[in-house]
Coordinates of all heavy atoms in Angstrom, one line a residue:
V297 N -0.2 8.6 -3.1 CA 0.2 9.4 -4.2 C -0.3 10.8 -3.9 O -1.4 11.0 -3.6 CB -0.4 8.9 -5.5 CG1 0.0 9.9 -6.7 CG2 0.0 7.5 -5.9
T298 N 0.6 11.8 -4.1 CA 0.3 13.2 -3.9 C 0.6 14.0 -5.1 O 1.6 13.9 -5.7 CB 1.1 13.8 -2.7 OG1 0.8 13.0 -1.5 CG2 0.7 15.3 -2.4
N299 N -0.4 14.9 -5.5 CA -0.1 15.8 -6.5 C 0.5 17.1 -5.9 O -0.1 17.8 -5.2 CB -1.4 16.2 -7.2 CG -1.3 17.3 -8.3 OD1 -0.1 17.6 -8.6 ND2 -2.3 17.8 -8.8
T300 N 1.8 17.3 -6.2 CA 2.5 18.4 -5.5 C 2.4 19.7 -6.4 O 3.0 20.7 -6.0 CB 4.0 18.0 -5.3 OG1 4.6 17.7 -6.5 CG2 4.1 16.8 -4.4
K301 N 1.7 19.6 -7.5 CA 1.6 20.8 -8.4 C 0.4 21.7 -7.9 O -0.5 21.2 -7.1 CB 1.4 20.4 -9.8 CG 2.5 19.6 -10.3 CD 3.8 20.4 -10.5 CE 4.9 19.6 -11.2 NZ 6.1 20.3 -11.3
D302 N 0.3 22.9 -8.4 CA -0.8 23.8 -8.1 C -1.9 23.7 -9.2 O -2.6 24.7 -9.4 CB -0.2 25.3 -7.9 CG 0.6 25.4 -6.7 OD1 0.4 24.7 -5.7 OD2 1.5 26.3 -6.7
E303 N -1.9 22.6 -9.8 CA -3.0 22.4 -10.8 C -3.4 21.0 -10.9 O -2.8 20.1 -10.3 CB -2.4 22.8 -12.2 CG -1.2 21.9 -12.6 CD -0.4 22.5 -13.7 OE1 -0.2 23.7 -13.9 OE2 0.0 21.6 -14.6
R304 N -4.6 20.7 -11.4 CA -5.1 19.4 -11.5 C -4.2 18.5 -12.5 O -3.8 19.0 -13.5 CB -6.5 19.4 -12.1 CG -7.3 18.1 -12.0 CD -8.6 18.2 -12.4 NE -8.7 17.9 -13.9 CZ -9.9 17.5 -14.4 NH1 -11.0 17.5 -13.7 NH2 -9.9 17.2 -15.7
R305 N -4.0 17.2 -12.1 CA -3.1 16.4 -12.9 C -3.8 15.1 -13.1 O -4.5 14.6 -12.3 CB -1.7 16.1 -12.1 CG -1.0 17.3 -11.7 CD -0.1 17.9 -12.7 NE 0.8 17.0 -13.4 CZ 2.0 16.7 -13.2 NH1 2.7 17.4 -12.2 NH2 2.7 15.9 -14.0
N306 N -3.5 14.4 -14.3 CA -4.0 13.1 -14.5 C -3.2 12.1 -13.6 O -2.1 12.3 -13.2 CB -3.6 12.7 -15.9 CG -4.4 13.4 -17.0 OD1 -5.5 13.9 -16.7 ND2 -3.9 13.5 -18.2
L307 N -3.9 11.1 -13.2 CA -3.4 10.1 -12.3 C -3.2 8.8 -13.1 O -4.1 8.2 -13.5 CB -4.3 9.9 -11.1 CG -3.7 8.9 -10.1 CD1 -2.3 9.4 -9.5 CD2 -4.7 8.7 -8.9
P308 N -1.9 8.4 -13.5 CA -1.8 7.2 -14.3 C -1.9 6.0 -13.4 O -2.0 6.1 -12.1 CB -0.3 7.4 -14.7 CG 0.4 8.2 -13.7 CD -0.7 9.1 -13.2
A309 N -1.9 4.8 -14.1 CA -1.9 3.6 -13.4 C -0.6 3.3 -12.6 O 0.4 4.0 -13.0 CB -2.2 2.4 -14.3
I310 N -0.5 2.5 -11.7 CA 0.6 2.2 -10.9 C 1.0 0.7 -11.1 O 0.1 -0.2 -11.0 CB 0.3 2.4 -9.4 CG1 0.0 3.9 -9.2 CG2 1.5 2.0 -8.5 CD1 -0.7 4.2 -7.9
I327 N -2.1 -1.5 -10.8 CA -3.3 -1.0 -10.0 C -3.8 0.3 -10.7 O -3.1 1.2 -11.1 CB -2.7 -0.5 -8.6 CG1 -2.1 -1.6 -7.8 CG2 -3.8 0.2 -7.8 CD1 -1.4 -1.3 -6.5
H328 N -5.2 0.3 -10.8 CA -5.9 1.4 -11.4 C -6.5 2.2 -10.3 O -7.5 1.7 -9.7 CB -6.9 0.8 -12.4 CG -6.3 -0.1 -13.4 ND1 -5.7 0.4 -14.5 CD2 -6.2 -1.5 -13.5 CE1 -5.2 -0.6 -15.2 NE2 -5.5 -1.7 -14.6
P329 N -6.0 3.4 -10.0 CA -6.5 4.2 -9.0 C -8.0 4.5 -9.1 O -8.5 4.5 -10.3 CB -5.7 5.5 -9.1 CG -4.5 5.1 -9.7 CD -4.8 4.0 -10.7
I330 N -8.7 4.8 -8.0 CA -10.1 5.0 -8.1 C -10.4 6.4 -8.7 O -11.6 6.6 -9.0 CB -10.8 4.8 -6.7 CG1 -10.1 5.9 -5.7 CG2 -10.6 3.5 -6.2 CD1 -10.7 5.9 -4.3
K331 N -9.5 7.2 -8.9 CA -9.7 8.6 -9.5 C -8.8 8.7 -10.7 O -7.7 8.1 -10.8 CB -9.2 9.7 -8.5 CG -10.1 9.8 -7.3 CD -9.7 11.0 -6.4 CE -10.9 11.7 -5.9 NZ -10.5 13.0 -5.4
Q332 N -9.2 9.4 -11.7 CA -8.5 9.6 -12.9 C -7.6 10.9 -12.7 O -6.7 11.1 -13.5 CB -9.4 9.8 -14.1 CG -10.0 8.5 -14.5 CD -10.8 8.6 -15.8 OE1 -11.4 9.7 -16.1 NE2 -10.8 7.6 -16.6
F333 N -8.0 11.8 -11.8 CA -7.3 13.1 -11.7 C -7.1 13.4 -10.2 O -7.9 12.9 -9.3 CB -8.2 14.3 -12.3 CG -8.4 14.1 -13.7 CD1 -9.6 13.6 -14.1 CD2 -7.5 14.6 -14.6 CE1 -9.9 13.5 -15.5 CE2 -7.8 14.5 -16.0 CZ -9.0 13.9 -16.4
L334 N -6.1 14.2 -9.9 CA -5.9 14.7 -8.6 C -5.9 16.2 -8.6 O -5.2 16.8 -9.4 CB -4.5 14.2 -7.9 CG -4.5 12.7 -7.5 CD1 -3.1 12.5 -6.9 CD2 -5.5 12.4 -6.6
R335 N -6.6 16.8 -7.7 CA -6.6 18.3 -7.6 C -5.2 18.7 -7.0 O -4.5 17.9 -6.5 CB -7.7 18.7 -6.6 CG -9.1 18.5 -7.2 CD -10.2 19.0 -6.2 NE -10.0 18.7 -4.9 CZ -10.6 17.8 -4.2 NH1 -11.4 17.0 -4.9 NH2 -10.4 17.6 -3.0
A336 N -5.0 20.0 -7.1 CA -3.8 20.5 -6.5 C -3.6 20.1 -5.1 O -4.5 20.2 -4.2 CB -3.7 22.1 -6.6
N337 N -2.4 19.6 -4.8 CA -2.1 19.1 -3.4 C -2.9 18.0 -2.8 O -2.9 17.8 -1.6 CB -2.0 20.4 -2.4 CG -1.0 21.4 -2.9 OD1 0.2 21.0 -3.2 ND2 -1.4 22.6 -3.1
E338 N -3.7 17.4 -3.6 CA -4.5 16.2 -3.2 C -3.7 15.0 -3.0 O -2.8 14.7 -3.8 CB -5.7 16.0 -4.1 CG -6.7 14.9 -3.7 CD -7.8 14.8 -4.6 OE1 -7.8 15.4 -5.8 OE2 -8.8 14.0 -4.3
T339 N -4.0 14.1 -2.0 CA -3.4 12.8 -1.8 C -4.4 11.8 -1.8 O -5.5 11.9 -1.2 CB -2.7 12.8 -0.5 OG1 -1.6 13.8 -0.5 CG2 -2.0 11.5 -0.2
I340 N -4.1 10.6 -2.5 CA -5.0 9.4 -2.3 C -4.1 8.2 -1.9 O -2.9 8.2 -2.2 CB -5.8 9.1 -3.6 CG1 -4.9 8.6 -4.7 CG2 -6.7 10.2 -4.0 CD1 -5.6 8.0 -5.8
N359 N 6.1 2.1 -10.0 CA 6.2 3.1 -11.1 C 4.9 3.4 -11.5 O 3.9 2.7 -11.5 CB 7.0 2.5 -12.3 CG 8.4 2.3 -12.0 OD1 9.2 3.2 -11.7 ND2 8.9 1.0 -12.0
F360 N 4.8 4.6 -12.1 CA 3.6 5.0 -12.8 C 3.7 4.5 -14.2 O 4.9 4.5 -14.8 CB 3.5 6.6 -12.9 CG 3.1 7.2 -11.6 CD1 4.0 8.1 -11.0 CD2 1.9 6.9 -11.0 CE1 3.7 8.6 -9.7 CE2 1.6 7.5 -9.7 CZ 2.6 8.4 -9.2
I361 N 2.6 4.1 -14.9 CA 2.6 3.5 -16.2 C 1.6 4.2 -17.0 O 0.5 4.5 -16.5 CB 2.6 2.0 -16.3 CG1 1.3 1.6 -15.6 CG2 3.8 1.4 -15.6 CD1 1.0 0.1 -15.8
E362 N 1.8 4.3 -18.3 CA 0.8 4.7 -19.2 C 0.1 3.6 -19.9 O 0.8 2.7 -20.4 CB 1.3 5.6 -20.3 CG 1.7 7.0 -19.8 CD 1.9 8.0 -21.0 OE1 1.1 8.0 -21.9 OE2 2.9 8.6 -20.9
L363 N -1.2 3.4 -19.7 CA -1.9 2.3 -20.3 C -2.2 2.6 -21.7 O -2.5 3.7 -22.1 CB -3.2 2.0 -19.5 CG -2.9 1.5 -18.0 CD1 -4.2 1.4 -17.3 CD2 -2.1 0.3 -18.0
K370 N -2.4 5.6 -26.6 CA -2.4 5.9 -25.3 C -3.8 6.2 -24.8 O -4.6 6.9 -25.5 CB -1.5 7.1 -24.9 CG 0.0 6.7 -25.2 CD 0.8 7.9 -24.8 CE 2.3 7.5 -25.1 NZ 3.2 8.7 -24.9
K371 N -4.2 5.8 -23.6 CA -5.4 6.1 -23.0 C -5.4 7.5 -22.3 O -4.4 7.9 -21.8 CB -5.8 5.1 -21.9 CG -6.4 3.8 -22.5 CD -6.9 3.0 -21.4 CE -7.6 1.7 -22.0 NZ -8.2 1.0 -20.9

Side-chain angles (χ1 to χ4, degrees):
V297 177
T298 300
N299 176 7
T300 59
K301 301 289 183 178
D302 290 331
E303 59 194 40
R304 187 173 99 158
R305 305 275 314 258
N306 289 338
L307 184 59
I310 299 165
I327 298 172
H328 305 277
I330 58 174
K331 293 181 139 193
Q332 290 184 324
F333 300 94
L334 287 182
R335 294 184 313 261
N337 301 308
E338 182 179 11
T339 297
I340 67 163
N359 292 298
F360 291 116
I361 59 168
E362 287 193 48
L363 298 177
K370 292 180 183 177
K371 282 187 172 183

